[in-house]
Amino acid sequence: MNEKSASDAAGILSGLERVAVLTGAGISAESGVPTFRGADGLWRQYRAETLATPEAFESDPKLVWEWYDWRRGLIAPVEPNPGHRILAGWQDLFAGFSLITQNVDGLHAKSGSREVIELHGNIWKLRCVREGTVSEVRTTPLPRIPPVCSSCGALLRPHVVWFGEALDPAVLERAFDLSSSCQAMLVVGTSSVVHPAASLPRTAARAGAAVIEINPEPTPLTPDADIFLAGKAGQVLPALDRLLRERRCP
């Protein structure tokens, strides 16, 4: 990480009230959460792109739930890293702080973040396919696969956005509203290629916000970011936090 760039980022943030953060798979990977996609994403010779679809669930809900139950078991013992904890602490540092994530693992909430905007849902939540009711179930492994609704007996599905599904319009609208009204947006550990999430930083920039990107490698967003801090979130965010607090509390 370039110290001057970090100092510049702290200088920008120190005088602001409304800050938004968008996080992606990178910050979770630092805690040990597998990506479940690509060459390392095979499970019983199935790929995530095959199992995480409405069609797969309709065809074989038991198989899909076996995969999600396995995933939940892997994620359950994972702890938030320093990057997660710094962002949780920023809730009380800025008058208006919003956290938007593409991750479904619930690590932001586990670190103490409140009112996290989860674009792609949450793997610990289950939704009734008939009533649409959502409940949080932390039990792993699940006692019954596939699980059923205690109210109506219909199947429960993971409360996540699958391939081929649209994001919840209310959640997406909230994310764009916060992006267009913030004074700065930090983009942390995301590839900046998955839309509509990848559009949020550019929405912020068009509204006049500074865009600060934190990522080990450059992304398609990097040329348009005001500041690029190369490195892992768990290392860059604590350093940035120290600089920021020094400026705000001399």
Side-chain angles (χ1 to χ4, degrees):
M1 178 183 66
N2 184 292
E3 289 296 330
K4 182 181 184 303
S5 296
S7 180
D8 291 343
I12 291 172
L13 294 171
S14 63
L16 304 183
E17 294 186 351
R18 300 186 307 280
V19 173
V21 178
L22 171 66
T23 66
I27 192 170
S28 292
E30 291 178 40
S31 286
V33 176
T35 61
F36 303 109
R37 295 180 65 180
D40 298 326
L42 297 177
W43 175 81
R44 298 187 190 175
Q45 303 306 307
Y46 292 93
R47 298 177 67 85
E49 291 84 349
T50 302
L51 292 169
T53 68
E55 293 77 15
F57 187 73
E58 183 177 354
S59 173
D60 196 339
K62 184 174 185 293
L63 174 67
V64 171
W65 260 116
E66 285 174 345
W67 180 56
Y68 273 95
D69 198 43
W70 171 75
R71 285 181 59 181
R72 285 159 56 97
L74 291 180
I75 295 171
V78 174
E79 293 296 326
N81 63 60
H84 291 105
R85 290 192 284 272
I86 291 298
L87 294 178
W90 281 7
Q91 295 170 124
D92 302 316
L93 191 61
F94 297 97
F97 180 78
S98 53
L99 178 56
I100 306 164
T101 188
Q102 296 170 269
N103 302 329
V104 301
D105 49 53
L107 285 179
H108 283 300
K110 197 173 184 179
S111 70
S113 289
R114 306 179 296 271
E115 299 181 12
V116 182
I117 299 165
E118 296 169 320
L119 293 175
H120 297 155
N122 188 311
I123 200 170
W124 300 107
K125 295 180 179 180
L126 284 60
R127 185 168 82 243
C128 176
V129 300
R130 179 180 299 159
E131 299 176 332
T133 52
V134 177
S135 58
E136 183 171 319
V137 179
R138 288 270 173 179
T139 304
T140 180
L142 289 167
R144 173 175 176 170
I145 295 180
V148 297
C149 178
S150 59
S151 173
C152 71
L155 284 174
L156 296 173
R157 57 162 283 176
H159 185 53
V160 297
V161 179
W162 282 330
F163 294 106
E165 292 185 325
L167 274 63
D168 183 319
V171 172
L172 189 58
E173 181 179 8
R174 178 66 174 150
F176 273 103
D177 285 346
L178 291 169
S179 299
S180 61
S181 62
C182 68
Q183 296 166 295
M185 171 172 275
L186 281 80
V187 185
V188 183
T190 174
S191 63
S192 295
V193 296
V194 178
H195 287 274
S199 301
L200 296 174
R202 291 180 169 81
T203 297
R206 284 195 298 270
V211 175
I212 301 168
E213 183 183 18
I214 299 173
N215 214 46
E217 303 292 337
T219 72
L221 175 66
T222 305
D224 299 321
D226 294 281
I227 296 177
F228 173 68
L229 301 177
K232 295 182 176 181
Q235 298 169 343
V236 175
L237 282 171
L240 181 58
D241 181 68
R242 287 192 295 272
L243 291 168
L244 176 58
R245 290 180 185 273
E246 287 172 2
R247 286 176 175 268
R248 293 183 72 116
C249 303

